[in-house]
Amino acid sequence: AEEVRGRVLASRLELQAMGNKYRETEQMSRETRASLDAAQELNESLGDQLKHMQEELSNSRAREAESHRRFADTERELEESREEMRAEMASATDRQEKSKGEIVRLEVIIGGYEKDLEQMEKLKKEIDECLKEEAVMQLTINQGERMRDDAVVVAVQAKAEEWRGEMGG
């Protein structure tokens, strides 16, 4: 009877130890789940930020395309103005002594040509700014993706190490 009581007591202690170990495992599982949920929230937040940055990049590219189009239009208009000016200058050279008014009109055309050159310089600066913005946004997107990936890996590794330590101890 004493031997049976000893075995029953030993079995109860073993069951208690198993129950404690089960509760510890359950607690670790809840903590791991909470860590994974937090990592998922961070991942979603970083994803939202990346979407926003990608939208900004898309808008910047659209502005850049518009600036390129305006630059091409201005360049075409400038070439047309040059051709007009060349024709006018040739004609004016022949008529120079007959009409001083023609020379004044040509000076107005030349003034417009200079304004066109100034406009082209402004558009070139806008294009350069757009290219800089695009490069900065791409770097930011790349950093955001790396941060998101690193955060998930670190959280999972930390929880795995913690769990291994608890299971081993």
Side-chain angles (χ1 to χ4, degrees):
E2 205 50 47
E3 184 182 328
V4 170
R5 271 192 223 128
R7 276 192 265 153
V8 167
L9 182 59
S11 294
R12 281 185 186 164
L13 289 175
E14 189 177 329
L15 281 174
Q16 261 185 335
M18 287 172 63
N20 289 342
K21 194 66 172 172
Y22 176 78
R23 282 188 288 284
E24 288 174 17
T25 303
E26 244 182 5
Q27 178 63 29
M28 286 190 289
S29 176
R30 282 192 296 276
E31 290 170 3
T32 300
R33 198 166 293 126
S35 292
L36 288 174
D37 288 346
Q40 181 63 31
E41 285 178 25
L42 177 61
N43 189 24
E44 288 172 8
S45 172
L46 290 172
D48 291 344
Q49 289 175 8
L50 285 174
K51 282 181 190 175
H52 178 69
M53 289 177 191
Q54 287 168 338
E55 287 172 8
E56 287 180 14
L57 178 62
S58 177
N59 292 339
S60 175
R61 286 182 177 157
R63 286 193 311 271
E64 177 187 356
E66 176 62 18
S67 293
H68 278 293
R69 185 195 60 75
R70 289 191 336 224
F71 182 81
D73 289 348
T74 303
E75 199 170 34
R76 182 180 35 75
E77 290 169 6
L78 181 60
E79 188 55 39
E80 290 170 3
S81 293
R82 284 180 186 154
E83 291 300 320
E84 283 179 27
M85 190 172 70
R86 286 183 193 120
E88 290 289 335
M89 292 283 268
S91 175
T93 302
D94 293 341
R95 298 175 306 197
Q96 184 176 10
E97 292 182 16
K98 296 177 186 176
S99 173
K100 297 277 183 182
E102 189 71 3
I103 292 172
V104 170
R105 192 175 78 76
L106 287 174
E107 288 174 352
V108 170
I109 290 173
I110 290 170
Y113 172 72
E114 290 171 349
K115 287 181 184 175
D116 287 344
L117 282 174
E118 291 173 8
Q119 183 64 23
M120 267 182 61
E121 285 300 318
K122 286 180 185 175
L123 288 174
K124 184 179 182 302
K125 287 178 183 175
E126 281 182 34
I127 289 170
D128 290 343
E129 285 301 316
C130 286
L131 289 173
K132 287 177 189 174
E133 285 178 22
E134 180 180 346
V136 168
M137 285 184 205
Q138 191 60 52
L139 284 173
T140 305
I141 287 170
N142 291 346
Q143 288 173 337
E145 288 174 347
R146 281 194 302 274
M147 286 172 54
R148 180 193 64 203
D149 294 343
D150 292 346
V152 169
V153 167
V154 167
V156 169
Q157 285 177 344
K159 189 44 77 178
E161 286 297 324
E162 181 182 327
W163 209 10
R164 270 189 231 126
E166 291 176 6
M167 293 302 269

PDB file of all heavy atoms in Angstrom, residues 86-111:
ATOM      1  N   ARG A  86      15.529  83.315 -89.215  1.00  0.00           N
ATOM      2  CA  ARG A  86      16.485  83.230 -90.333  1.00  0.00           C
ATOM      3  C   ARG A  86      15.859  83.757 -91.625  1.00  0.00           C
ATOM      4  O   ARG A  86      16.498  84.510 -92.370  1.00  0.00           O
ATOM      5  CB  ARG A  86      16.952  81.778 -90.506  1.00  0.00           C
ATOM      6  CG  ARG A  86      17.918  81.313 -89.464  1.00  0.00           C
ATOM      7  CD  ARG A  86      18.405  79.888 -89.733  1.00  0.00           C
ATOM      8  NE  ARG A  86      19.073  79.376 -88.557  1.00  0.00           N
ATOM      9  CZ  ARG A  86      18.711  78.297 -87.867  1.00  0.00           C
ATOM     10  NH1 ARG A  86      17.679  77.586 -88.274  1.00  0.00           N
ATOM     11  NH2 ARG A  86      19.388  77.922 -86.815  1.00  0.00           N
ATOM     12  N   ALA A  87      14.616  83.325 -91.853  1.00  0.00           N
ATOM     13  CA  ALA A  87      13.937  83.788 -93.074  1.00  0.00           C
ATOM     14  C   ALA A  87      13.727  85.296 -93.029  1.00  0.00           C
ATOM     15  O   ALA A  87      13.941  86.000 -94.037  1.00  0.00           O
ATOM     16  CB  ALA A  87      12.609  83.056 -93.224  1.00  0.00           C
ATOM     17  N   GLU A  88      13.306  85.768 -91.870  1.00  0.00           N
ATOM     18  CA  GLU A  88      13.072  87.203 -91.722  1.00  0.00           C
ATOM     19  C   GLU A  88      14.373  87.989 -91.874  1.00  0.00           C
ATOM     20  O   GLU A  88      14.393  89.066 -92.478  1.00  0.00           O
ATOM     21  CB  GLU A  88      12.429  87.500 -90.364  1.00  0.00           C
ATOM     22  CG  GLU A  88      11.010  87.019 -90.231  1.00  0.00           C
ATOM     23  CD  GLU A  88      10.029  87.829 -91.068  1.00  0.00           C
ATOM     24  OE1 GLU A  88      10.308  88.999 -91.368  1.00  0.00           O
ATOM     25  OE2 GLU A  88       8.990  87.261 -91.411  1.00  0.00           O
ATOM     26  N   MET A  89      15.451  87.468 -91.312  1.00  0.00           N
ATOM     27  CA  MET A  89      16.732  88.175 -91.404  1.00  0.00           C
ATOM     28  C   MET A  89      17.197  88.253 -92.856  1.00  0.00           C
ATOM     29  O   MET A  89      17.689  89.302 -93.294  1.00  0.00           O
ATOM     30  CB  MET A  89      17.791  87.453 -90.556  1.00  0.00           C
ATOM     31  CG  MET A  89      17.559  87.520 -89.065  1.00  0.00           C
ATOM     32  SD  MET A  89      17.996  89.081 -88.367  1.00  0.00           S
ATOM     33  CE  MET A  89      19.676  88.749 -87.922  1.00  0.00           C
ATOM     34  N   ALA A  90      17.036  87.150 -93.578  1.00  0.00           N
ATOM     35  CA  ALA A  90      17.445  87.164 -94.994  1.00  0.00           C
ATOM     36  C   ALA A  90      16.625  88.184 -95.773  1.00  0.00           C
ATOM     37  O   ALA A  90      17.169  88.963 -96.572  1.00  0.00           O
ATOM     38  CB  ALA A  90      17.281  85.768 -95.585  1.00  0.00           C
ATOM     39  N   SER A  91      15.339  88.163 -95.517  1.00  0.00           N
ATOM     40  CA  SER A  91      14.464  89.115 -96.198  1.00  0.00           C
ATOM     41  C   SER A  91      14.778  90.543 -95.760  1.00  0.00           C
ATOM     42  O   SER A  91      14.799  91.470 -96.580  1.00  0.00           O
ATOM     43  CB  SER A  91      13.013  88.755 -95.886  1.00  0.00           C
ATOM     44  OG  SER A  91      12.147  89.712 -96.431  1.00  0.00           O
ATOM     45  N   ALA A  92      15.019  90.742 -94.509  1.00  0.00           N
ATOM     46  CA  ALA A  92      15.278  92.078 -93.974  1.00  0.00           C
ATOM     47  C   ALA A  92      16.585  92.643 -94.504  1.00  0.00           C
ATOM     48  O   ALA A  92      16.695  93.858 -94.712  1.00  0.00           O
ATOM     49  CB  ALA A  92      15.302  92.029 -92.459  1.00  0.00           C
ATOM     50  N   THR A  93      17.561  91.772 -94.692  1.00  0.00           N
ATOM     51  CA  THR A  93      18.835  92.244 -95.228  1.00  0.00           C
ATOM     52  C   THR A  93      18.610  92.892 -96.600  1.00  0.00           C
ATOM     53  O   THR A  93      19.178  93.941 -96.897  1.00  0.00           O
ATOM     54  CB  THR A  93      19.841  91.083 -95.327  1.00  0.00           C
ATOM     55  OG1 THR A  93      19.999  90.520 -94.027  1.00  0.00           O
ATOM     56  CG2 THR A  93      21.181  91.550 -95.832  1.00  0.00           C
ATOM     57  N   ASP A  94      17.757  92.259 -97.381  1.00  0.00           N
ATOM     58  CA  ASP A  94      17.444  92.810 -98.715  1.00  0.00           C
ATOM     59  C   ASP A  94      16.668  94.118 -98.615  1.00  0.00           C
ATOM     60  O   ASP A  94      16.819  95.000 -99.451  1.00  0.00           O
ATOM     61  CB  ASP A  94      16.628  91.801 -99.529  1.00  0.00           C
ATOM     62  CG  ASP A  94      17.435  90.554 -99.876  1.00  0.00           C
ATOM     63  OD1 ASP A  94      18.676  90.631 -99.801  1.00  0.00           O
ATOM     64  OD2 ASP A  94      16.814  89.520-100.193  1.00  0.00           O
ATOM     65  N   ARG A  95      15.847  94.241 -97.614  1.00  0.00           N
ATOM     66  CA  ARG A  95      14.989  95.425 -97.505  1.00  0.00           C
ATOM     67  C   ARG A  95      15.487  96.443 -96.490  1.00  0.00           C
ATOM     68  O   ARG A  95      14.786  97.403 -96.195  1.00  0.00           O
ATOM     69  CB  ARG A  95      13.583  95.001 -97.108  1.00  0.00           C
ATOM     70  CG  ARG A  95      12.915  94.105 -98.111  1.00  0.00           C
ATOM     71  CD  ARG A  95      11.598  93.654 -97.588  1.00  0.00           C
ATOM     72  NE  ARG A  95      11.809  93.050 -96.258  1.00  0.00           N
ATOM     73  CZ  ARG A  95      10.967  92.276 -95.652  1.00  0.00           C
ATOM     74  NH1 ARG A  95       9.829  91.991 -96.202  1.00  0.00           N
ATOM     75  NH2 ARG A  95      11.234  91.780 -94.465  1.00  0.00           N
ATOM     76  N   GLN A  96      16.665  96.232 -95.924  1.00  0.00           N
ATOM     77  CA  GLN A  96      17.153  97.055 -94.827  1.00  0.00           C
ATOM     78  C   GLN A  96      17.095  98.549 -95.138  1.00  0.00           C
ATOM     79  O   GLN A  96      16.648  99.340 -94.320  1.00  0.00           O
ATOM     80  CB  GLN A  96      18.578  96.654 -94.460  1.00  0.00           C
ATOM     81  CG  GLN A  96      19.116  97.405 -93.262  1.00  0.00           C
ATOM     82  CD  GLN A  96      20.487  96.911 -92.856  1.00  0.00           C
ATOM     83  OE1 GLN A  96      21.100  96.142 -93.575  1.00  0.00           O
ATOM     84  NE2 GLN A  96      20.964  97.380 -91.730  1.00  0.00           N
ATOM     85  N   GLU A  97      17.539  98.936 -96.307  1.00  0.00           N
ATOM     86  CA  GLU A  97      17.575 100.345 -96.644  1.00  0.00           C
ATOM     87  C   GLU A  97      16.188 100.887 -96.928  1.00  0.00           C
ATOM     88  O   GLU A  97      15.968 102.088 -96.819  1.00  0.00           O
ATOM     89  CB  GLU A  97      18.510 100.578 -97.830  1.00  0.00           C
ATOM     90  CG  GLU A  97      19.957 100.307 -97.440  1.00  0.00           C
ATOM     91  CD  GLU A  97      20.929 100.572 -98.553  1.00  0.00           C
ATOM     92  OE1 GLU A  97      20.542 101.250 -99.524  1.00  0.00           O
ATOM     93  OE2 GLU A  97      22.061 100.107 -98.444  1.00  0.00           O
ATOM     94  N   LYS A  98      15.234 100.031 -97.297  1.00  0.00           N
ATOM     95  CA  LYS A  98      13.881 100.480 -97.617  1.00  0.00           C
ATOM     96  C   LYS A  98      13.037 100.674 -96.365  1.00  0.00           C
ATOM     97  O   LYS A  98      12.128 101.486 -96.371  1.00  0.00           O
ATOM     98  CB  LYS A  98      13.189  99.470 -98.541  1.00  0.00           C
ATOM     99  CG  LYS A  98      13.820  99.324 -99.884  1.00  0.00           C
ATOM    100  CD  LYS A  98      13.095  98.267-100.667  1.00  0.00           C
ATOM    101  CE  LYS A  98      13.777  97.980-101.975  1.00  0.00           C
ATOM    102  NZ  LYS A  98      13.141  96.895-102.692  1.00  0.00           N
ATOM    103  N   SER A  99      13.308  99.844 -95.296  1.00  0.00           N
ATOM    104  CA  SER A  99      12.390  99.892 -94.160  1.00  0.00           C
ATOM    105  C   SER A  99      13.097  99.712 -92.835  1.00  0.00           C
ATOM    106  O   SER A  99      13.570  98.635 -92.487  1.00  0.00           O
ATOM    107  CB  SER A  99      11.350  98.788 -94.329  1.00  0.00           C
ATOM    108  OG  SER A  99      10.543  98.709 -93.177  1.00  0.00           O
ATOM    109  N   LYS A 100      13.145 100.785 -92.063  1.00  0.00           N
ATOM    110  CA  LYS A 100      13.703 100.705 -90.711  1.00  0.00           C
ATOM    111  C   LYS A 100      12.709 100.005 -89.772  1.00  0.00           C
ATOM    112  O   LYS A 100      13.126  99.378 -88.806  1.00  0.00           O
ATOM    113  CB  LYS A 100      14.003 102.107 -90.178  1.00  0.00           C
ATOM    114  CG  LYS A 100      15.038 102.853 -90.959  1.00  0.00           C
ATOM    115  CD  LYS A 100      16.393 102.434 -90.510  1.00  0.00           C
ATOM    116  CE  LYS A 100      17.430 103.261 -91.260  1.00  0.00           C
ATOM    117  NZ  LYS A 100      18.760 102.898 -90.921  1.00  0.00           N
ATOM    118  N   GLY A 101      11.433 100.083 -90.051  1.00  0.00           N
ATOM    119  CA  GLY A 101      10.403  99.435 -89.230  1.00  0.00           C
ATOM    120  C   GLY A 101      10.557  97.927 -89.195  1.00  0.00           C
ATOM    121  O   GLY A 101      10.243  97.262 -88.198  1.00  0.00           O
ATOM    122  N   GLU A 102      11.030  97.352 -90.304  1.00  0.00           N
ATOM    123  CA  GLU A 102      11.246  95.905 -90.383  1.00  0.00           C
ATOM    124  C   GLU A 102      12.308  95.469 -89.363  1.00  0.00           C
ATOM    125  O   GLU A 102      12.186  94.425 -88.732  1.00  0.00           O
ATOM    126  CB  GLU A 102      11.657  95.535 -91.805  1.00  0.00           C
ATOM    127  CG  GLU A 102      11.697  94.068 -92.079  1.00  0.00           C
ATOM    128  CD  GLU A 102      10.321  93.431 -92.148  1.00  0.00           C
ATOM    129  OE1 GLU A 102       9.301  94.123 -92.045  1.00  0.00           O
ATOM    130  OE2 GLU A 102      10.272  92.214 -92.265  1.00  0.00           O
ATOM    131  N   ILE A 103      13.337  96.291 -89.197  1.00  0.00           N
ATOM    132  CA  ILE A 103      14.408  95.981 -88.243  1.00  0.00           C
ATOM    133  C   ILE A 103      13.859  95.979 -86.814  1.00  0.00           C
ATOM    134  O   ILE A 103      14.187  95.098 -86.009  1.00  0.00           O
ATOM    135  CB  ILE A 103      15.577  96.981 -88.397  1.00  0.00           C
ATOM    136  CG1 ILE A 103      16.253  96.762 -89.747  1.00  0.00           C
ATOM    137  CG2 ILE A 103      16.580  96.818 -87.255  1.00  0.00           C
ATOM    138  CD1 ILE A 103      17.297  97.800 -90.091  1.00  0.00           C
ATOM    139  N   VAL A 104      12.985  96.918 -86.505  1.00  0.00           N
ATOM    140  CA  VAL A 104      12.385  96.969 -85.172  1.00  0.00           C
ATOM    141  C   VAL A 104      11.583  95.684 -84.916  1.00  0.00           C
ATOM    142  O   VAL A 104      11.647  95.088 -83.833  1.00  0.00           O
ATOM    143  CB  VAL A 104      11.497  98.233 -85.027  1.00  0.00           C
ATOM    144  CG1 VAL A 104      10.683  98.178 -83.748  1.00  0.00           C
ATOM    145  CG2 VAL A 104      12.356  99.484 -85.088  1.00  0.00           C
ATOM    146  N   ARG A 105      10.801  95.252 -85.919  1.00  0.00           N
ATOM    147  CA  ARG A 105      10.009  94.030 -85.772  1.00  0.00           C
ATOM    148  C   ARG A 105      10.913  92.816 -85.514  1.00  0.00           C
ATOM    149  O   ARG A 105      10.592  91.953 -84.691  1.00  0.00           O
ATOM    150  CB  ARG A 105       9.168  93.816 -87.034  1.00  0.00           C
ATOM    151  CG  ARG A 105       8.099  92.737 -86.871  1.00  0.00           C
ATOM    152  CD  ARG A 105       7.221  92.658 -88.094  1.00  0.00           C
ATOM    153  NE  ARG A 105       7.825  91.948 -89.199  1.00  0.00           N
ATOM    154  CZ  ARG A 105       7.942  90.625 -89.266  1.00  0.00           C
ATOM    155  NH1 ARG A 105       7.513  89.878 -88.276  1.00  0.00           N
ATOM    156  NH2 ARG A 105       8.478  90.054 -90.306  1.00  0.00           N
ATOM    157  N   LEU A 106      12.040  92.766 -86.199  1.00  0.00           N
ATOM    158  CA  LEU A 106      12.983  91.660 -85.986  1.00  0.00           C
ATOM    159  C   LEU A 106      13.551  91.687 -84.564  1.00  0.00           C
ATOM    160  O   LEU A 106      13.780  90.644 -83.960  1.00  0.00           O
ATOM    161  CB  LEU A 106      14.115  91.715 -87.010  1.00  0.00           C
ATOM    162  CG  LEU A 106      13.731  91.306 -88.431  1.00  0.00           C
ATOM    163  CD1 LEU A 106      14.910  91.540 -89.368  1.00  0.00           C
ATOM    164  CD2 LEU A 106      13.288  89.861 -88.479  1.00  0.00           C
ATOM    165  N   GLU A 107      13.788  92.847 -84.030  1.00  0.00           N
ATOM    166  CA  GLU A 107      14.287  92.951 -82.657  1.00  0.00           C
ATOM    167  C   GLU A 107      13.257  92.403 -81.665  1.00  0.00           C
ATOM    168  O   GLU A 107      13.622  91.765 -80.672  1.00  0.00           O
ATOM    169  CB  GLU A 107      14.642  94.396 -82.330  1.00  0.00           C
ATOM    170  CG  GLU A 107      15.896  94.867 -83.049  1.00  0.00           C
ATOM    171  CD  GLU A 107      16.179  96.350 -82.856  1.00  0.00           C
ATOM    172  OE1 GLU A 107      15.336  97.059 -82.299  1.00  0.00           O
ATOM    173  OE2 GLU A 107      17.271  96.766 -83.274  1.00  0.00           O
ATOM    174  N   VAL A 108      11.980  92.625 -81.953  1.00  0.00           N
ATOM    175  CA  VAL A 108      10.918  92.067 -81.102  1.00  0.00           C
ATOM    176  C   VAL A 108      10.944  90.541 -81.172  1.00  0.00           C
ATOM    177  O   VAL A 108      10.839  89.848 -80.151  1.00  0.00           O
ATOM    178  CB  VAL A 108       9.529  92.624 -81.524  1.00  0.00           C
ATOM    179  CG1 VAL A 108       8.413  91.864 -80.824  1.00  0.00           C
ATOM    180  CG2 VAL A 108       9.445  94.108 -81.227  1.00  0.00           C
ATOM    181  N   ILE A 109      11.125  90.006 -82.379  1.00  0.00           N
ATOM    182  CA  ILE A 109      11.202  88.533 -82.535  1.00  0.00           C
ATOM    183  C   ILE A 109      12.404  87.987 -81.765  1.00  0.00           C
ATOM    184  O   ILE A 109      12.313  86.970 -81.068  1.00  0.00           O
ATOM    185  CB  ILE A 109      11.281  88.144 -84.030  1.00  0.00           C
ATOM    186  CG1 ILE A 109       9.944  88.437 -84.708  1.00  0.00           C
ATOM    187  CG2 ILE A 109      11.631  86.661 -84.184  1.00  0.00           C
ATOM    188  CD1 ILE A 109       9.973  88.249 -86.211  1.00  0.00           C
ATOM    189  N   ILE A 110      13.530  88.679 -81.855  1.00  0.00           N
ATOM    190  CA  ILE A 110      14.738  88.245 -81.136  1.00  0.00           C
ATOM    191  C   ILE A 110      14.496  88.285 -79.629  1.00  0.00           C
ATOM    192  O   ILE A 110      14.921  87.386 -78.892  1.00  0.00           O
ATOM    193  CB  ILE A 110      15.949  89.113 -81.543  1.00  0.00           C
ATOM    194  CG1 ILE A 110      16.343  88.796 -82.984  1.00  0.00           C
ATOM    195  CG2 ILE A 110      17.134  88.871 -80.602  1.00  0.00           C
ATOM    196  CD1 ILE A 110      17.374  89.752 -83.574  1.00  0.00           C
ATOM    197  N   GLY A 111      13.796  89.334 -79.157  1.00  0.00           N
ATOM    198  CA  GLY A 111      13.455  89.399 -77.732  1.00  0.00           C
ATOM    199  C   GLY A 111      12.617  88.194 -77.320  1.00  0.00           C
ATOM    200  O   GLY A 111      12.809  87.620 -76.237  1.00  0.00           O
TER     201      GLY A 111
END
